[in-house]
Amino acid sequence: MLKTAIEMDRAAMILRLLGDKTRLTMVKILDSHDCCVCEFVEIFKVSQPSISQHLRKLKDVGLVKEERRGQWIFYSVNKSNEYYPFVSQILSQLPDQDDKLNELEKQGTRITCC
Amino acid sequence: MLKTAIEMDRAAMILRLLGDKTRLTMVKILDSHDCCVCEFVEIFKVSQPSISQHLRKLKDVGLVKEERRGQWIFYSVNKSNEYYPFVSQILSQLPDQDDKLNELEKQGTRITCC
DNA sequence: TTATTATATAATGATTTGCTTATATATACA
DNA sequence: TGTATATATAAGCAAATCATTATATAATAA
């Protein structure tokens, strides 16, 4: 077994985490753009606590990190996380989600503070 | 968006399917060796219906196929399935599980009919 | 200071999941 | 043919999941 291979139980845990359409799309978006909670609320049309809970799960395994900027808390992918190489390979096979952020731009609800 | 990219909801569905340690290990094993139900029962130490139910889920999305050989039903990965390229890339990042089958050989519980 | 905005957490409930045991079906063997 | 073996399906149950509403906390604006 390669030293670099992810363990099966860790891999299953990560796949289960990504096996939710909302979280998977979040991570795909965050892989190329920082976003704050309210942007995700707008994109996914679910309640703010629901978004916060998804982000919490991603943060709990260290896959995303948060950073306060004024009134907002921005999330980004933690590319130095041990699971990132595994996740990154998966994300690379997914269609880019730029249309979601472009939609926010058009609506004027994209947050571009700081 | 690339024509070849898997849709987000399909991707999430596949990841959720693989996001179970038993199923993930099954698919990893099946990717290189056909196996029958009773071998998985031996490997995973869970009930036979539990194994059958996992295989059913994998079969329902077309990721594995079955073939009767005498008294046994052998399962294998359906490499022509539309999701196989996506899955294959994930499997390639996992440690090989040959030790599981080697263990069966040692115990003499490997099925090598037909 | 008070009101507003952004976010997190707690509590709750419906649905899904993954196991179990019991049972049905199909093949193989004596 | 009758019995054993391999597998599938059904039913039941505990735990996990994902949403919601209510509430708490922190920063900003008036």
Side-chain angles (χ1 to χ4, degrees), chain B residues 27-93:
Chain B
V27 174
K28 177 68 182 179
I29 291 173
L30 289 175
D31 197 41
S32 44
H33 312 273
D34 295 4
C35 281
C36 67
V37 177
C38 60
E39 291 176 312
F40 285 133
V41 171
E42 194 61 38
I43 290 171
F44 294 111
K45 308 293 183 196
V46 294
S47 68
Q48 171 267 314
S50 181
I51 295 297
S52 282
Q53 286 156 15
H54 283 303
L55 288 167
R56 180 63 135 80
K57 290 183 184 186
L58 294 170
K59 205 182 59 174
D60 280 350
V61 307
L63 214 55
V64 306
K65 53 189 179 185
E66 60 179 35
E67 179 200 340
R68 181 174 281 277
R69 293 187 207 159
Q71 158 178 41
W72 297 281
I73 294 178
F74 276 73
Y75 282 83
S76 58
V77 168
N78 176 10
K79 298 195 177 184
S80 61
N81 180 262
E82 61 179 316
Y83 306 119
Y84 182 70
F86 181 61
V87 169
S88 174
Q89 186 276 346
I90 293 169
L91 297 181
S92 72
Q93 300 186 74

Side-chain angles (χ1 to χ4, degrees), chain A residues 17-55:
Chain A
L17 189 68
L18 298 180
D20 174 275
K21 193 183 175 184
T22 302
R23 281 193 299 269
L24 185 63
T25 308
M26 278 178 160
V27 175
K28 178 70 183 179
I29 291 172
L30 290 175
D31 197 42
S32 44
H33 312 273
D34 294 4
C35 282
C36 68
V37 176
C38 59
E39 291 175 312
F40 284 132
V41 170
E42 195 61 37
I43 289 172
F44 295 109
K45 308 293 185 199
V46 293
S47 67
Q48 172 268 315
S50 180
I51 295 296
S52 282
Q53 286 157 14
H54 282 304
L55 288 167

Side-chain angles (χ1 to χ4, degrees), chain A residues 1-4 9-10 12-13 18 20 22-23 28 32 35 38 47 53 57-58 62 70 78 80 87 91 96-98:
Chain A
M1 178 187 133
L2 292 166
K3 270 205 290 288
T4 50
D9 53 354
R10 303 302 183 95
M13 179 270 289
L18 298 180
D20 174 275
T22 302
R23 281 193 299 269
K28 178 70 183 179
S32 44
C35 282
C38 59
S47 67
Q53 286 157 14
K57 290 182 184 186
L58 293 170
N78 176 10
S80 62
V87 170
L91 297 181
D96 89 62
Q97 300 296 305
D98 291 350

